[in-house]
């Protein structure tokens, strides 16, 4: 599987370069887009299955870098079919929400649902309506590491919390040895990397620590990193790049950013076997999510404390944030057409081929209904 993923990344990163100029995408988070599925088929959909309706012109969007690779793959297919130019900046969830509530973008991506004050702010740009959360992309938050000679690493929540809070500082620490009795752990300083920008990935990663090991992670959580120490980098791609080039490094980012030189930690959840991040193990966790949003809002509550066999606990869902009512007339047709495509069966099929998890049927069906009612 690792060899297949490496080959996909090499081949498709070249393809992404070829299409990036045509799509006018801002390269803020992705260096490995447009991958192929494990069966060798294209991760992009048949353009003939996309309904363009009256879509035209250009859409500006910003937000989650976690979904940047998915957005790039979707945009490639949609733009080819409909001729609409979509510029998704991928500057992070915090930047996306701010751009949306200031009326600068047609839609935003965020790995955290809108807060009440953000919903209030959105009413100023959504004439007669408000911003709503539409879950569109699922996936695991991989804990990537670069430790020479260690190909398989198991960590649990308390150990992760102590590493990212600068309480465990060396790779041959007794706590890590206990979880990895057969590994040759070097006497090497741990270099822990976190996000420098406000990030829903940070929010979900720290929610996992808060839920599972509150005695070892005494921070309130949120999009901004709060723990002391460590090093930072912008967007998921930035953290992944730092881990890749730094011996002894560890960081958190989406599975689609795990590439050559970076391996992913398996998590000891209390199940019979440690669980590695994968689309399948993330789906097993996300399938238990509950819709907690009200009205047309479809925000979810994830189960970070799962001990189910084969369920990976550090997951996130990325929401597309859009006005339920009061969308701008010149961008509404293209926005609805794009959202309709990415929520469709064909659009969701793209995800598993590029290391994301499709949204469970029971939830994505509600998303599709909501999209049709946007005005």
């Amino acid at each position: 599987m690792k060899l297949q993923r490496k080959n996909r990344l090499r081949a498709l990163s070249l393809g992404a370069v070829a299409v990036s100029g045509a799509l006018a995408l801002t390269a803020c988070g992705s260096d490995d887009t447009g991958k192929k599925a494990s069966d060798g088929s294209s991760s992009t959909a048949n353009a003939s299955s996309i309904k363009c309706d009256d879509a035209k012109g250009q859409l500006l969007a910003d937000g989650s870098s976690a979904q940047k690779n998915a957005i790039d793959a979707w945009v490639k297919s949609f733009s080819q079919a409909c001729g609409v130019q979509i510029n998704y900046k991928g500057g992070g969830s915090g930047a996306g929400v701010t751009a949306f509530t200031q009326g600068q973008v047609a839609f935003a991506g965020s790995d955290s649902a809108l807060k009440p004050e953000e919903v209030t702010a959105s009413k100023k740009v959504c004439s007669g309506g408000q911003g709503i959360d539409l879950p569109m992309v699922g996936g695991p938050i991989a804990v990537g590491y670069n430790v020479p000679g260690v190909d398989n690493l198991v960590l649990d929540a308390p150990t992760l919390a102590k590493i990212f809070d600068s309480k465990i500082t060396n790779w041959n620490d007794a706590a890590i040895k206990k979880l990895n009795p057969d590994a040759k752990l070097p006497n090497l300083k741990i270099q822990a990397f976190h996000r420098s920008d406000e990030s829903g990935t940070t929010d979900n990663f720290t929610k996992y620590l808060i839920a599972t090991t509150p005695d070892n992670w005494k921070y309130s959580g949120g999009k901004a990193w709060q723990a002391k120490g460590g090093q930072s980098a912008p967007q998921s791609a930035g953290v992944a790049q730092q881990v890749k080039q730094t011996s002894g490094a560890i960081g958190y980012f989406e599975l689609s950013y795990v590439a050559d030189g970076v391996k992913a930690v398996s998590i000891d959840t209390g199940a019979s076997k440690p669980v590695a991040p994968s689309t399948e193990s993330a789906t097993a966790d996300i399938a238990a999510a509950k819709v907690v949003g009200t009205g047309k809002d479809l925000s979810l509550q994830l189960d970070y404390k799962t001990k189910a066999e084969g369920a990976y606990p550090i997951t996130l869902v990325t929401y597309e944030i859009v006005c339920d009512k009061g969308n701008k007339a010149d961008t509404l047709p293209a926005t609805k057409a794009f959202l309709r495509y990415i929520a469709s069966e064909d659009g969701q099929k793209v995800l598993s081929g590029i290391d994301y998890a499709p949204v469970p049927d029971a939830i994505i069906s509600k998303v599709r209904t909501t999209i049709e009612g946007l005005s």
Side-chain angles (χ1 to χ4, degrees), residues 63-68 92-94 110-112 139-143 194-195 197-209 222-225 235-237 239 251-255 257 304 314-318:
S64 165
S65 65
Q67 70 168 356
K68 183 67 165 60
S93 296
S110 176
D111 310 315
S112 300
I141 300 174
V143 180
H194 57 265
R195 290 281 290 271
D197 54 318
E198 288 200 358
S199 161
T201 311
T202 294
D203 189 16
N204 284 274
F205 179 65
T206 55
K207 279 180 179 176
Y208 162 74
L209 297 176
K223 292 189 180 79
W225 185 257
Q235 285 87 52
S236 291
V239 175
Y252 57 91
F253 35 79
E254 292 64 46
L255 184 60
Y257 291 96
Y304 300 103
I314 319 177
T315 58
L316 59 74
V317 169
T318 302

Side-chain angles (χ1 to χ4, degrees), residues 67-130:
Q67 70 168 356
K68 183 67 165 60
N69 293 338
I71 289 286
D72 284 359
W74 280 329
V75 164
K76 178 181 177 181
S77 292
F78 184 78
S79 294
Q80 287 175 344
C82 301
V84 175
Q85 186 182 56
I86 300 177
N87 186 333
Y88 183 79
K89 188 175 180 181
S93 296
V97 171
T98 297
F100 180 77
T101 56
Q102 292 180 352
Q104 298 171 355
V105 294
F107 69 91
S110 176
D111 310 315
S112 300
L114 290 168
K115 296 178 180 178
E117 61 269 26
E118 293 168 340
V119 173
T120 298
S122 74
K123 293 179 180 180
K124 297 178 182 179
V125 297
C126 300
S127 179
Q130 65 180 50

Side-chain angles (χ1 to χ4, degrees), residues 143-156 159-164 167-193 231 242-243 246-252 261-267:
V143 180
Y145 70 97
N146 177 1
V147 181
V150 181
D151 293 328
N152 297 291
L153 184 68
V154 175
L155 296 174
D156 59 11
T159 308
L160 275 173
K162 292 173 184 176
I163 287 173
F164 280 94
K167 302 292 177 60
I168 292 178
T169 58
N170 201 289
W171 281 110
N172 64 357
D173 187 273
I176 303 176
K177 284 183 175 180
K178 184 177 180 180
L179 290 165
N180 300 272
D182 299 326
K184 295 182 180 179
L185 296 165
N187 181 14
L188 178 66
K189 182 181 178 181
I190 294 174
Q191 308 279 355
F193 285 89
Q231 302 175 66
Q242 290 299 319
V243 172
T246 306
S247 180
I250 188 170
Y252 57 91
V262 179
K263 300 178 180 67
V265 170
S266 293
I267 303 299

Side-chain angles (χ1 to χ4, degrees), residues 305-324:
K305 299 172 70 174
T306 182
K307 295 183 180 180
E309 297 295 330
Y312 185 79
I314 319 177
T315 58
L316 59 74
V317 169
T318 302
Y319 302 96
E320 310 312 328
I321 296 172
V322 66
C323 297
D324 59 353

Side-chain angles (χ1 to χ4, degrees), residues 213-246:
T213 184
D215 290 343
N216 294 299
W217 195 260
K218 298 183 180 297
Y219 303 97
S220 60
K223 292 189 180 79
W225 185 257
Q226 297 173 323
K228 307 300 181 183
Q231 302 175 66
S232 64
Q235 285 87 52
S236 291
V239 175
Q241 182 61 30
Q242 290 299 319
V243 172
K244 180 178 179 178
Q245 67 188 24
T246 306

